[in-house]
Amino acid sequence: MTSPVLLAAPGWAPALGQPFFQHALVAGTGIAAAAGLVGYFLVLRAQVFTGDALSHVAFTGALAAFALGASLRIGLYGGCIAFALLLGVLGKRGRADDVVIGSVFSWILGLGAFFLTLYTTSRSAGNGNAGVGVLFGSIFGLSSGQALTAALVGAGICAAVLAVARPLLFASVDEAVAAARGVPVRVLGFVFLALVGACAAEATQAVGSLLILGLLAAPAGAAQRMTVRPFLALALSAGLAVAEMWAGLAMSYAVPKTPPSFGILAVATAVYGATFLRKPRGRRAAAAANAA
Amino acid sequence: MSALLQLADGAAWSWNPAEDLRQMWAFPFMVNAFRAGTIVAVTAGVMGWFMVLRRQSFAGHTLAVVGFPGASGAVLVGVGATYGYFAFCVAAALVIAAVPRGGRSGGVQESALTGTVQAFLLACGFLFTALYKGLLGGTTSLLFGSFLGITTRQVWVLLAVAAAVLAALAVIGRPLLFASVDPDVAAARGVPVRSLSTAFLVLLGAAAAGTSQITGTLLVFALLVMPAATAQALTARPGPGLLLSAAVAVAVTWLGLTVAYFTPYPIGFWVTTFAFGCNVLARAGAFAAGRLRAGTPAPLPAAGGAA
């Protein structure tokens, strides 16, 4: 769909030679792989709303760190992981109720608006757009150190998800049977929530706190529409996320007017939308359900 | 520091409520803000009660949030932001309603689709603001709300939309309640569950679009979910629950407007904080009442169970 634009763009060698593009590519790959893996379980466990809530908490965490003069990283990770664990405590078996999540996170978002005002009024000019930067991300503005950290954290999250993937899959698909077979369902729920929190904090730098949800939901939703085999879908979800990240970055490089966050999400949404065009699996499943 | 900012603001609270209110309402924009706030609070309280009952918080949040690309897109092409809010919110409601529900996999797909719609439309909003450079200063107020500059015409538009939404809800209210509480039995009794669900989402979108213009798109959800959750923690009966939900919404909006007028902090912060306070108090009260009646379970609907 973007191919005419991409072909018309200047050669790709100079793009890859640009430091900012290299940094975005390195950080984006790690972040997208982590989001793809975490997102698969998030969709499977029907906890996408938790991801939505966490993305808003990331905003408040970042703004609180700005307003109080602390490090951005502490605010992001502290806020997201603490809130993720709080959701686990509030809910039964490590899964919180939608209404509880909604009430808590909309208040935390209000708190974010408070910190934003505190930050923009207490310090002098030049940071009026800090809130917008946190909300919508600035992946092209990463330094090499930040990009490397982002990639390493992303790799760490991936490794952690893969380490718990088998029991987590069992616990997600059939919680009662998994618990009966001695799988620590509750602990797994907490570990998973902490991983989602870390992933949301990490992805805030790339696509911004408001748009993390797309990176978590779209590749995972597409992968689940394409195959029913869990590990294949898990790999597909991560692969799609990384490919969408690359395509989005390329698109926003080719068309400088579009911000990278938009490019990434536009590609992700297009891929997800394309899975609705072919619906053999849905029809077959429906037929099977009718026959049963 | 806040005292200093209050002085700079010129509007200090004098501990003489009658005098303070008179001073505040001397400004036409504050009167309009109270009118508009009351209208959207009643609508949000009533619609939110059904949203919480139907456990559609995620869809409600998405409808609330997509007002942002609507408003920024409308500003970009040069039409009134009000049209943008309504067009995007209602369109998103139709997209979400178009996904077939039913069965576990249906629910899973619905949440993935809802999340994708939300994130993509927010990204569109960001694109629109990036294309329209002049809006950057206004982005924050689109997202977090502003009660300044509400015109009398806007109040009339809001009133008309609220009246239409509430009238439509009154018409479908009874079957919708039935379909929400027990969709299977309702479907078996011939209630058109599917079209009721679509109609409800469209109404919710219209209510969210109206509310967005006061609280900002990110905080609409607070006004939808928190008064309703408060009401459902206190009573499971539909009539009193709806009234209570609307009353709580109106009370926190009035309180929020007043406090926001006298302090430098944004209205969104105050409204969410007061609503959250009500919610916590109601849950604590319901929990205590349950404890007093030792042995018998607290009179909570499913919504309060996780507190």
Side-chain angles (χ1 to χ4, degrees):
Chain A
M1 100 231 92
T2 52
S3 55
V5 183
L6 292 183
L7 289 178
W12 288 107
L16 293 174
Q18 303 272 8
F20 79 90
F21 198 79
Q22 290 168 354
H23 298 160
L25 215 52
V26 169
T29 307
I31 291 168
L37 291 180
V38 170
Y40 173 76
F41 284 107
L42 210 56
V43 172
L44 186 69
R45 294 165 70 88
Q47 285 186 316
V48 181
F49 193 50
T50 311
D52 186 14
L54 278 169
S55 66
H56 291 75
V57 174
F59 170 72
T60 302
L63 262 292
F66 278 146
L68 305 177
S71 145
L72 174 65
R73 206 165 278 278
I74 294 176
L76 276 177
Y77 284 95
C80 285
I81 296 181
F83 180 73
L85 295 179
L86 174 71
L87 287 185
V89 174
L90 288 177
K92 285 167 254 168
R93 290 174 171 271
R95 292 189 193 209
D97 186 272
D98 263 12
V99 177
V100 176
I101 300 177
S103 308
V104 176
F105 97 75
S106 48
W107 177 60
I108 289 183
L109 193 61
L111 216 54
F114 169 75
F115 284 124
L116 180 65
T117 312
L118 199 63
Y119 180 57
T120 49
T121 53
S122 70
R123 312 211 168 173
S124 49
N127 47 31
N129 291 335
V132 176
V134 172
L135 285 172
F136 296 109
S138 48
I139 195 169
F140 280 162
L142 295 178
S143 71
S144 64
Q146 286 171 320
L148 196 63
T149 316
L152 288 179
V153 172
I157 294 173
C158 287
V161 173
L162 291 178
V164 297
R166 262 193 92 82
L168 186 60
L169 193 65
F170 191 10
S172 308
V173 172
D174 197 331
E175 206 172 320
V177 175
R181 289 287 293 272
V183 176
V185 175
R186 203 175 148 77
V187 175
L188 272 177
F190 276 103
V191 170
F192 177 65
L193 281 173
L195 284 174
V196 179
C199 186
E202 184 57 34
T204 300
Q205 300 164 359
V207 290
S209 63
L210 284 186
L211 311 179
I212 295 165
L213 186 61
L215 216 48
L216 287 171
Q224 294 205 342
R225 287 188 68 83
M226 285 158 140
T227 174
V228 283
R229 291 167 55 199
F231 284 102
L232 185 63
L234 187 61
L236 199 59
S237 172
L240 276 179
V242 171
E244 286 161 3
M245 172 69 75
W246 288 349
L249 289 177
M251 180 175 145
S252 82
Y253 184 81
V255 189
K257 268 200 161 176
T258 58
S261 310
F262 174 77
I264 296 162
L265 281 189
V267 175
T269 308
V271 170
Y272 183 57
T275 62
F276 279 88
L277 295 180
R278 61 178 277 280
K279 40 164 67 172
R281 183 167 96 67
R283 213 173 285 157
R284 221 181 296 149
N290 285 340
Chain B
M1 187 197 70
S2 82
L4 211 147
L5 284 168
Q6 271 180 20
L7 281 181
D9 216 352
W13 179 255
S14 66
W15 294 111
N16 176 359
E19 178 60 25
D20 286 324
L21 289 183
R22 198 195 54 74
Q23 182 205 347
M24 181 168 69
W25 281 332
F27 294 103
F29 71 82
M30 281 311 290
V31 177
N32 274 342
F34 269 85
R35 285 177 186 149
T38 310
I39 295 167
V40 300
V42 170
T43 324
V46 171
M47 293 306 292
W49 190 84
F50 276 98
M51 182 189 84
V52 168
L53 183 72
R54 296 171 59 81
R55 325 202 70 54
Q56 286 188 313
S57 305
F58 191 25
H61 180 235
T62 299
L63 293 180
V65 154
V66 300
F68 169 62
S72 52
V75 172
L76 180 65
V77 300
V79 298
T82 307
Y83 300 108
Y85 279 117
F86 285 109
F88 268 64
C89 289
V90 171
L94 291 174
V95 171
I96 294 172
V99 193
R101 300 181 75 181
R104 269 192 71 188
S105 67
V108 167
Q109 275 307 325
E110 190 194 13
S111 72
L113 178 102
T114 310
T116 309
V117 168
Q118 178 186 341
F120 176 64
L121 286 176
L122 278 172
C124 287
F126 183 44
L127 176 72
F128 297 152
T129 52
L131 293 177
Y132 184 88
K133 306 272 191 237
L135 195 69
L136 263 184
T139 307
T140 309
S141 75
L142 277 184
L143 290 171
F144 292 109
S146 158
F147 55 91
L148 301 174
I150 296 165
T151 60
T152 309
R153 193 178 148 271
Q154 241 176 323
V155 174
W156 283 111
V157 171
L158 287 178
L159 185 62
V161 170
V165 165
L166 291 180
L169 191 67
V171 171
I172 64 167
R174 271 192 80 86
L176 182 65
L177 193 62
F178 190 12
S180 308
V181 173
D182 197 333
D184 293 334
V185 175
R189 290 287 294 271
V191 176
V193 175
R194 188 83 206 277
S195 24
L196 275 178
S197 169
T198 307
F200 174 72
L201 278 174
V202 170
L203 290 181
L204 189 59
T211 314
S212 294
Q213 303 178 35
I214 311 298
T215 58
T217 52
L218 288 185
L219 300 172
V220 176
F221 185 61
L223 217 46
L224 281 172
V225 76
M226 292 207 261
T230 306
Q232 297 208 350
L234 292 179
T235 172
R237 286 160 58 205
L242 280 168
L243 279 181
L244 191 60
S245 177
V248 170
V250 169
V252 298
T253 307
W254 283 359
L255 211 57
L257 275 170
T258 312
V259 178
Y261 176 78
F262 288 104
T263 64
Y265 301 113
I267 175 168
F269 168 65
W270 294 115
V271 168
T272 50
T273 301
F274 292 136
F276 189 66
C278 286
N279 198 353
V280 169
L281 281 181
R283 277 167 193 275
F287 183 72
R291 271 296 163 87
L292 282 180
R293 254 169 279 145
T296 57
L300 293 183

